[in-house]
Amino acid sequence: MDPLWWIGAGLVFVVIEILTLGFVLIMFAGGAFAAALASALGAPTWLQFVVFAAASVLLLFALRPWLLRRLKRRMPLEETNVAAQLGRSAMVVADVGPLGGRIKLSGEVWSARAARDGLVFPEGAEVQVVRIDGATAVVDAVARDSAPSTSTTHDSNPHS
């Protein structure tokens, strides 16, 4: 196989890596460049693929973890998506109990439920997101607030 094919594949991996920034495809680019070198040295095609695979795996398991640790030490990574919502406070817009309710979280209305049985957060209460289950925020009392009211009866209306 011509070394230019491997160099072309390596460059494609580099361009895609620049767009994704996952430190995975750059390791495949390194494998492709190693295979290009093997090709230039006259290695048969099967050996070029072995060199590509071995170099890629070696880079993935040896170099990638080191690069990620270095990057995390230099700059804190900002959480996104669901992970960014954990620990945030939210405002109850429809009573939240163990069976459901609604909160306003980061400017959006979410379905929510109380983290523990027996807790009911009334409309207007401030709560804290402790986890996300699917599209439902599971909430508990904010540490600085007084304890939420308890209720022995649960409203079974799903629209509350």
Side-chain angles (χ1 to χ4, degrees), residues 69-137:
R69 279 193 306 273
R70 249 182 98 84
L71 178 66
K72 287 178 183 176
R73 266 189 264 141
R74 283 187 162 197
M75 67 178 69
L77 299 178
E78 189 167 326
E79 297 290 350
T80 59
N81 300 330
V82 170
Q85 305 304 332
L86 299 179
R88 286 199 175 175
S89 61
M91 187 66 61
V92 175
V93 294
D95 291 357
V96 174
L99 299 177
R102 299 240 180 244
I103 60 169
K104 189 162 195 173
L105 174 63
S106 300
E108 297 178 344
V109 176
W110 283 62
S111 59
R113 73 172 184 273
R116 296 175 278 154
D117 285 339
L119 293 180
V120 175
F121 299 100
E123 183 176 339
E126 186 178 2
V127 293
Q128 186 172 24
V129 177
V130 293
R131 73 177 183 274
I132 304 288
D133 285 342
T136 302

